[in-house]
Amino acid sequence: MASVTPYLDETSVETRFKIEDTCIFVKNGYLSETGLIENAAQTCAAIVGQSFFDDDDKDGSKNKVIGYISAVKKVQITTLPKVGETIATKGNLISRYDNDAFSSCTIASETFRNGELIVACTLNFLIHEV
């Protein structure tokens, strides 16, 4: 497993996700391609999304934020992880634009299973309050 301790700062994030058989993205005992992209998106959106929350709002109850994948610029998936396995995902902010209505960003992501790179992608996001 890649040495990933959950982490978040202004330009990077690292998460772990244990694949359970109850996950809606599991098909035939494996996390689907869609599930891998969604995992990368959820992980990466935290980088910019955190700026919409107050420091004391640890559970997100004071704010409503929504994010959209506006473009999948690149995605390479080499293998699908099985139910019961844990994947580690890292994201790094490439660019960010903020205005009064929304934030737009580009983030590169890599997902590992047992230290092996299984997903590399670059995604664009739009994030705003609702």
Side-chain angles (χ1 to χ4, degrees), residues 12-64:
S12 63
V13 63
E14 300 179 6
T15 64
R16 289 182 182 258
F17 176 66
K18 183 172 182 185
I19 301 158
E20 303 287 343
D21 61 357
T22 56
C23 175
I24 63 170
F25 296 110
V26 167
K27 290 184 181 178
N28 300 320
Y30 292 88
L31 185 63
S32 67
E33 292 89 345
T34 305
L36 286 167
I37 294 168
E38 181 63 20
N39 173 72
Q42 292 289 332
T43 295
C44 291
I47 296 171
V48 173
Q50 69 181 321
S51 63
F52 289 87
F53 293 87
D54 295 331
D55 289 341
D56 66 342
D57 187 14
K58 301 297 182 197
D59 65 358
S61 62
K62 296 180 185 175
N63 204 336
K64 302 292 182 206

Side-chain angles (χ1 to χ4, degrees), residues 40-104:
Q42 292 289 332
T43 295
C44 291
I47 296 171
V48 173
Q50 69 181 321
S51 63
F52 289 87
F53 293 87
D54 295 331
D55 289 341
D56 66 342
D57 187 14
K58 301 297 182 197
D59 65 358
S61 62
K62 296 180 185 175
N63 204 336
K64 302 292 182 206
V65 176
I66 191 163
Y68 308 92
I69 300 172
S70 59
V72 176
K73 296 178 83 168
K74 172 189 114 173
V75 64
Q76 181 179 10
I77 299 172
T78 58
T79 191
L80 301 177
K82 296 178 186 176
V83 167
E85 293 182 322
T86 298
I87 55 176
T89 303
K90 299 179 180 185
N92 290 294
L93 184 65
I94 296 172
S95 65
R96 179 176 179 166
Y97 169 78
D98 296 312
N99 68 27
D100 291 339
F102 64 89
S103 289
S104 174

